[in-house]
Amino acid sequence: MTLQSRAAICSGPEAPFEIAPVALDALRPDELRVRIVACGICHTDLAVRDRQLPVPVPVVLGHEGAGIVEAVGADVTAAKVGDRVVMSFNSCGHCPSCADHAPTYCYDFFPENWSGTRADGSPTLFRDGEPLNGNFFGQSSFATHAIAHQRNVVKVPETMDDVPLDILAPIGCGLMTGAGAVLRSMQVRAGLPLAVWGAGTVGMAAIMAARIAGAGPIIAIDLHDSRLDLARELGATHTINGREDVAAKIRELCPAGLGYAFDTTGVNRLIEGAFNLLAPKGVIGLVGASAPDAELTFNESALMGGGRRVMGILGGDSDIVTFLPELMEHYRAGRFPFDRLIGHFAFEDINAAIAASESGAVIKPVLRISPEG
Ligand code: CXF
Ligand code: ZN
């Protein structure tokens, strides 16, 4: 145990997060210690709190951390002391998916990200001398300091020196998922129509990326008109409130069918309805979390006969080392203005930030944990 930190501890759905002193383990050769400047809050953090994912509690969550490297193990080449970094999910680096630059499908995703310990079972955090669950997405960044790994840290390019870390922090989860789904997983082609169900972080990122790809029309569907207004500013050419007859409106706009449908809701009825709107060779990409036992039903001749594809997507097929800098460059150039989604909160106000996410008042809350400079 080498360094004292302050972390927000999640004990489950009954209690608010509690900020308390914790200690970090000594670094392994492939690890870095990062002083956290900011961290986004994602629905996956809340799914763990609500015990919908098999991550043990009590635990330090937070997986959209950004900060300054304070110490590195002997084998680390991803960044050096003093570098500004953003963090994302961890991966093993040697399974068939990692070898194929598809680390979001790492065969060891669970032990590397969700076991509460390092993949070898050792704790990264201690509270009152006892092991505390951590290493969430290889970081546990709702804290003043985090242990990260060579494979889930990306150095912020120097060209981004003027972009604060409390803007860049959330780039390694929902934003890369939505943008990657469009640009990498589905490889959306210019001139083809795309519809996005759900205008949260992932859906908005997909809409911005669809504009980059030159898709059209770009149709956003959501229950909240305020989100649809923002979706239009970010790239949607048409919006439909989900209380309207969505299928009829899409058929009117795209009589030949959709080239791409992208579902962020995980609602089966919506997914099956979206599949029925696909043009020949159309692709429906799925990122929304459904009930663990949910099954989908599609017509076989429509699937096979039209060459249609149903694509499960994790993390937008992101290879973070190359894709996160690419997204940062789109941000710089004004093509990916994800700062429009962010609302900032002080670390001490983490429970208010969570409430703002759950009420829908803020699309992407970001905690300010320590000053950058
Ligand atoms: C993850 C899922 C696995 C890859 C990166 C993003 N989602 C987090 O909320
Ligand atoms: Zn997330």
Side-chain angles (χ1 to χ4, degrees):
M1 281 177 270
T2 56
L3 187 110
Q4 290 297 129
S5 163
R6 281 184 342 115
I9 298 173
C10 166
S11 300
E14 298 81 19
F17 285 45
E18 175 207 355
I19 298 182
V22 301
L24 265 56
D25 194 23
L27 290 185
R28 300 280 169 88
D30 64 338
E31 292 177 344
L32 308 87
R33 193 176 73 232
V34 180
R35 173 172 68 78
I36 306 294
V37 169
C39 186
I41 297 178
C42 165
H43 291 295
T44 304
D45 297 306
L46 308 181
V48 172
R49 176 200 62 185
D50 296 341
R51 315 306 318 270
Q52 289 156 1
L53 291 172
V55 177
V57 297
V59 63
V60 178
L61 300 172
H63 61 284
E64 297 182 355
I68 314 285
V69 177
E70 270 194 349
V72 295
D75 297 346
V76 170
T77 53
K80 57 185 191 320
V81 172
D83 281 348
R84 305 164 81 223
V85 293
V86 292
M87 286 172 274
S88 188
F89 65 97
N90 199 17
S91 54
C92 77
H94 45 73
C95 72
S97 292
C98 287
D100 194 30
H101 301 285
T104 65
Y105 308 103
C106 175
Y107 284 29
D108 278 334
F109 191 89
F110 181 87
E112 296 284 353
N113 291 277
W114 285 0
S115 58
T117 63
R118 293 185 182 91
D120 68 5
S122 62
T124 56
L125 294 178
F126 299 85
R127 186 184 192 185
D128 299 328
E130 297 297 320
L132 173 68
N133 292 305
N135 200 41
F136 185 56
F137 280 94
Q139 48 181 297
S140 288
S141 287
F142 290 158
T144 58
H145 297 80
I147 291 180
H149 307 260
Q150 158 98 325
R151 285 190 56 83
N152 72 318
V153 158
V154 175
K155 177 178 154 47
V156 176
E158 267 135 41
T159 49
M160 298 292 149
D161 273 352
D162 56 340
V163 184
L165 290 175
D166 65 9
I167 298 292
L168 293 176
I171 204 159
C173 189
L175 292 166
M176 77 172 188
T177 295
V182 166
L183 298 173
R184 296 174 65 91
S185 319
M186 298 194 288
Q187 303 191 2
V188 166
R189 278 166 51 194
L192 289 188
L194 167 142
V196 176
W197 274 260
T201 302
V202 177
M204 293 291 196
I207 288 164
M208 292 185 269
R211 180 166 64 180
I212 293 171
I218 299 171
I219 305 165
I221 302 128
D222 199 280
L223 293 171
H224 300 283
D225 287 329
S226 57
R227 298 223 167 171
L228 294 176
D229 292 344
L230 182 56
R232 263 188 200 265
E233 291 178 38
L234 297 180
T237 57
H238 300 78
T239 57
I240 307 174
N241 189 299
R243 291 179 223 286
E244 298 171 52
D245 186 343
V246 174
K249 295 238 164 190
I250 291 180
R251 283 205 182 89
E252 203 177 295
L253 285 167
C254 310
L258 291 170
Y260 307 92
F262 183 54
D263 178 78
T264 71
T265 71
V267 177
N268 278 14
R269 179 179 50 82
L270 300 183
I271 297 170
E272 290 168 358
F275 174 83
N276 291 328
L277 294 167
L278 291 178
K281 292 282 280 172
V283 181
I284 178 165
L286 307 180
V287 296
S290 311
D293 56 353
E295 310 268 341
L296 290 166
T297 304
F298 302 109
N299 177 269
E300 199 274 342
S301 33
L303 181 75
M304 181 277 288
R308 295 180 174 87
R309 282 181 289 162
V310 179
M311 186 183 278
I313 298 173
L314 208 48
D317 289 71
S318 299
D319 188 1
I320 58 173
V321 180
T322 53
F323 193 49
L324 296 189
E326 197 178 312
L327 288 179
M328 291 182 209
E329 196 44 55
H330 283 312
Y331 171 78
R332 252 188 95 66
R335 294 184 292 261
F336 191 58
F338 65 87
D339 56 320
R340 301 285 309 276
L341 311 179
I342 292 176
H344 286 111
F345 293 82
F347 186 29
E348 287 64 31
D349 295 333
I350 183 170
N351 291 301
I354 290 170
S357 164
E358 293 188 300
S359 73
V362 175
I363 296 182
K364 174 53 68 183
V366 172
L367 301 171
R368 287 189 168 127
I369 298 181
S370 70
E372 187 168 339

